[in-house]
């Protein structure tokens, strides 16, 4: 008995080759569920389904690759000023969000914010090196002398100390911002604002108020709408398999 995926593949091949006169490469084409995070990936994106319907998300591999890059940029062994490190991270994330900003990744950006702040504190703690330098720096940042010396003489790992309450109070988010820290969540929200921005006066491309979007938005939204149309068409033909789609590679 032929499966739903096989029926969809044959239907798609007949449509492409019969009506559109396009040659379908059977070896490089496959049929997958559009909501399968493991099998469905297009230009670094995937689709999800929630209570509000279908939405675009960044694929797990794309997120993993970006976080690995952030880890590389904030490596403690590079010996650069923290301001330089923060600037490199900010430049990278602006570019990354310029592409992936259309995805629903607000929660992920919030988690990355906390993770990055801890890495910055870890970076600064290592730069202070000796207990005397650490104690003096903590006191300058408002920590009482006895607490500063107690924390400075602690021999626990850098990553552990970055979560210490006194270290967090001394190197607070406000202090990091003074050195150049920029919240990833703020960058993400700014990217969304740019994507949703409308031209208030005049025309853009001959259409009043057309959205100013990036190339990634146009491509992914085209694929997204294409798959929704396929879903509706296939649902009318194969009602028992409404969530299977052809992926042409």
């Amino acid at each position: 008995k032929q499966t739903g995926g096989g029926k969809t593949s044959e239907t798609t091949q007949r449509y492409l080759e019969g009506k559109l006169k396009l040659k379908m490469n059977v070896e490089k084409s496959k049929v997958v569920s559009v909501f399968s995070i493991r099998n469905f990936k297009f230009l670094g994106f995937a689709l999800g389904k929630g209570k509000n319907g279908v939405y675009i998300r960044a694929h797990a591999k794309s997120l993993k690759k970006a976080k690995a890059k952030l880890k590389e940029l904030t490596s403690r062994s590079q010996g650069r000023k923290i301001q330089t490190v923060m600037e490199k991270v900010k430049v990278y994330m602006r570019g990354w969000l310029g592409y992936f900003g259309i995805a629903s990744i607000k929660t992920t950006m919030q988690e990355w914010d906390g993770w990055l702040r801890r890495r910055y504190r870890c970076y600064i703690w290592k730069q202070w090196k000796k207990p005397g330098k650490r104690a003096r720096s903590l006191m300058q940042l408002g920590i009482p002398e006895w607490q500063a010396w107690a924390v400075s003489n602690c021999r626990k790992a850098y990553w552990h100390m970055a979560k210490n309450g006194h270290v967090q109070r001394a190197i607070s988010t406000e202090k990091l911002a003074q050195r150049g820290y920029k919240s990833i969540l703020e960058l993400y929200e700014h990217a969304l604002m740019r994507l949703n921005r409308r031209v208030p006066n005049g025309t853009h491309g001959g259409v009043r108020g057309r959205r100013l979007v990036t190339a990634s938005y146009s491509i992914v939204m085209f694929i997204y709408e294409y798959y929704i149309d396929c879903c509706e068409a296939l649902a009318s033909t194969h009602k028992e398999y409404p969530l299977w789609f052809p992926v042409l590679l």
Side-chain angles (χ1 to χ4, degrees):
K1 184 179 179 180
Q2 196 173 28
T3 63
K7 292 179 181 178
T8 302
S9 181
E10 286 189 1
T11 302
T12 303
Q13 186 174 4
R14 286 198 302 269
Y15 177 78
L16 290 174
E17 297 183 351
K19 188 172 183 179
L20 300 181
K21 308 302 180 183
L22 299 174
K23 182 64 176 177
M24 175 176 166
N25 191 327
V26 181
E27 294 181 357
K28 294 185 177 181
S29 301
K30 61 181 179 180
V31 178
V32 299
S33 170
V34 71
F35 302 121
S36 174
I37 190 67
R38 177 179 299 178
N39 297 319
F40 179 79
K41 177 186 177 186
F42 183 80
L43 296 178
F45 293 92
L47 296 181
K49 188 176 183 182
K51 60 181 180 180
N52 296 323
V54 180
Y55 60 91
I56 300 172
R57 60 182 175 180
H59 195 273
K61 290 183 179 179
S62 302
L63 294 173
K64 184 178 180 181
K65 184 177 179 181
K67 195 168 184 180
K69 180 63 176 180
L70 290 176
K71 191 172 182 180
E72 177 187 333
L73 292 174
T74 56
S75 171
R76 298 190 301 269
S77 61
Q78 54 187 309
R80 296 188 177 94
K81 292 182 178 180
I82 188 65
Q83 292 88 339
T84 303
V85 175
M86 290 179 177
E87 183 61 27
K88 287 182 176 292
V89 169
K90 185 164 58 177
V91 170
Y92 173 75
M93 285 307 301
R94 276 178 176 165
W96 191 84
L97 288 171
Y99 184 83
F100 286 100
I102 62 174
S104 299
I105 50 176
K106 183 176 181 179
T107 301
T108 302
M109 295 299 99
Q110 289 175 326
E111 293 174 353
W112 284 13
D113 258 338
W115 174 75
L116 262 182
R117 286 194 296 270
R118 187 174 178 183
R119 286 196 60 88
Y120 287 145
R121 293 186 183 105
C122 189
Y123 191 95
I124 295 170
W125 187 255
K126 184 183 178 183
Q127 281 193 329
W128 287 345
K129 293 184 179 179
K130 296 183 178 180
K133 169 66 173 175
R134 290 171 179 171
R136 289 191 297 272
S137 299
L138 289 174
M139 286 187 283
Q140 289 174 358
L141 293 170
I143 304 301
E145 183 177 355
W146 70 272
Q147 290 180 340
W149 280 106
V151 173
S152 299
N153 287 310
C154 184
R155 299 301 180 184
K156 292 184 178 179
Y158 299 124
W159 185 245
H160 178 88
M161 293 305 299
K163 199 176 182 181
N164 180 277
H166 300 305
V167 175
Q168 287 183 328
R169 186 152 51 94
I171 313 174
S172 62
T173 303
E174 292 74 19
K175 293 290 196 309
L176 289 173
Q178 291 173 5
R179 295 196 177 195
Y181 166 70
K182 186 71 174 178
S183 168
I184 295 181
L185 182 59
E186 290 182 10
L187 293 174
Y188 170 66
E189 291 174 343
H190 182 68
L192 281 180
M193 287 177 61
R194 290 184 60 189
L195 290 171
N196 294 323
R197 184 177 60 191
R198 293 178 179 274
V199 180
N201 298 310
T203 60
H204 178 75
V207 180
R208 182 179 178 84
R210 176 176 290 181
R211 300 178 73 183
L212 301 177
V213 297
T214 62
S216 64
Y217 183 93
S218 302
I219 295 172
V220 174
M221 284 306 298
F222 170 79
I223 296 297
Y224 169 75
E225 293 170 359
Y226 165 74
Y227 279 135
I228 294 300
D229 291 342
C230 284
C231 181
E232 294 174 351
L234 292 172
S236 62
T237 307
H238 308 294
K239 294 184 178 180
E240 67 275 26
Y241 302 108
L243 297 177
W244 289 89
F245 297 84
V247 178
L248 309 179
L249 306 176

